[in-house]
Amino acid sequence: MMAALFPLLSVLHPVLAVPTIDRLVFAVCAVIVLSGALGVVLSSNPVYAALSLVLTLFGVAVLFVEEDAQFLAAVQVVVYAGAIVVLFLFVIMLLGVDRQESMRSERLPAQRPLALLLGLAALGELLALSRLTHWSTGPRGASGAPATGGGGNTAALARSIFTTYLLPFELTSLLLIIAVLAAVVLARRPGQHPIEPPALVETDDSNLPMPGPDPDEEIDGVRNVDAESIGFGGGRGPQ
Amino acid sequence: MTLSGNWFLALAAVLFSIGAVGLLIRRNVLVMFMCVELMLNAVNLTFVTFSKMLDDINGQSLVFFVLVVAAAEVVVGLGIIVSIFRRRPDATADDLNMLKG
């Protein structure tokens, strides 16, 4: 595949001055990123989808390094691959790993061809935009600090964030607090007071393997607690 | 001289389209969420590419904020998904019609 990519790259855009290592890094990362993205979309097991997402995120991080954005590459690995994907995996494990989506059935028959058509149209438009217009000849931004200032990439980024974008940076702390509060509120069980002693809950182990979905009975809360004690139980029922 | 930014833009376009198609055709809510992350990553790649092409650090600052908002969005979204699945353990995106009048 690599041997097929190189003539394609050199034929379509003959930049002879580009060092070979840059082209090699870009080609390898492009293959990694796209295969990871296809893995996310096409794999029916959500665990495989999350691991493919890790692949894509690492590829994008290497591309950030290739484009002299070293700090963002590190943040990409730490925050995305280290925190967000782990959160995804936690939720997948919490809800039951063996929940597989059947890729065959579709409730709306026209949705899949229409989605593909729409995606191809969007791809064509984006490629045309990135090819036909001369992006790099536009005027510089009004507050344009050079990306390669003194002190390297991290210093330049810190100078931009802590001077130009100081107020938005402080507002992100507010956003994070709101997100934490929302997560706490959403994770609380409805109707259960947090100070209430847990001794009121009867945990009878005889009826633990829960059958499939039964939405009318689960609203009363007692059964929810039973499901909680075996790890939400939804994935362990007969499929 | 390094690689032209057009290659990065094209790769980001392909990545964004894959994410958009995945968001439209998948029915698992978690996988749809991951497709949103794919689209966010494509946009981040575009921002960094323009930041390099225009030699302007502000594109990378914007990527920083996108990362923060994406982290908050994932936390809240996964909380919503967990509380939905607590009610209906086998729900897909087609079954989430509780707001229908």
Side-chain angles (χ1 to χ4, degrees), chain B:
Chain B
M1 168 149 189
T2 55
L3 201 61
S4 162
N6 282 331
W7 287 107
F8 292 92
L9 292 182
L11 176 63
V14 175
L15 186 58
F16 186 88
S17 303
I18 290 175
V21 170
L23 183 69
L24 287 175
I25 68 172
R26 289 305 295 264
R27 281 291 156 265
N28 192 332
V29 191
L30 281 164
V31 179
M32 289 170 75
F33 222 143
M34 291 178 207
C35 292
V36 173
E37 299 301 316
L38 284 184
M39 294 163 75
L40 280 174
N41 266 279
V43 174
N44 282 349
L45 189 60
T46 311
F47 270 130
V48 174
T49 303
F50 279 130
S51 165
K52 183 167 178 59
M53 284 169 76
L54 301 174
D55 193 20
D56 189 335
I57 195 65
N58 290 325
Q60 299 187 21
S61 316
L62 210 49
V63 172
F64 183 79
F65 290 118
V66 169
L67 281 172
V68 175
V69 173
E73 166 230 345
V74 164
V75 168
V76 176
L78 288 181
I80 292 174
I81 287 174
V82 166
S83 63
I84 286 173
F85 276 86
R86 196 179 286 158
R87 290 282 176 95
R88 318 202 27 191
D90 274 352
T92 63
D94 286 330
D95 304 325
L96 303 181
N97 52 6
M98 285 173 275
L99 285 179
K100 194 158 75 176

Side-chain angles (χ1 to χ4, degrees), chain A residues 187-214:
Chain A
R188 267 181 51 190
R189 232 161 300 285
Q192 185 184 10
H193 203 268
I195 319 175
E196 192 173 357
L200 295 176
V201 179
E202 52 164 340
T203 55
D204 189 5
D205 281 354
S206 61
N207 55 358
L208 276 187
M210 289 171 49
D214 202 356

Side-chain angles (χ1 to χ4, degrees), chain A residues 39-47 49 96-107 111-112 239, chain B residues 22-32 35 90-94:
Chain A
V40 171
V41 173
L42 296 180
S43 63
S44 61
N45 193 336
V47 179
V97 188
D98 49 355
R99 182 198 314 278
Q100 296 242 351
E101 178 186 7
S102 69
M103 304 288 278
R104 301 270 175 252
S105 67
E106 180 67 52
R107 201 169 285 187
Q111 171 142 7
R112 215 165 271 183
Q239 294 290 314
Chain B
L23 183 69
L24 287 175
I25 68 172
R26 289 305 295 264
R27 281 291 156 265
N28 192 332
V29 191
L30 281 164
V31 179
M32 289 170 75
C35 292
D90 274 352
T92 63
D94 286 330

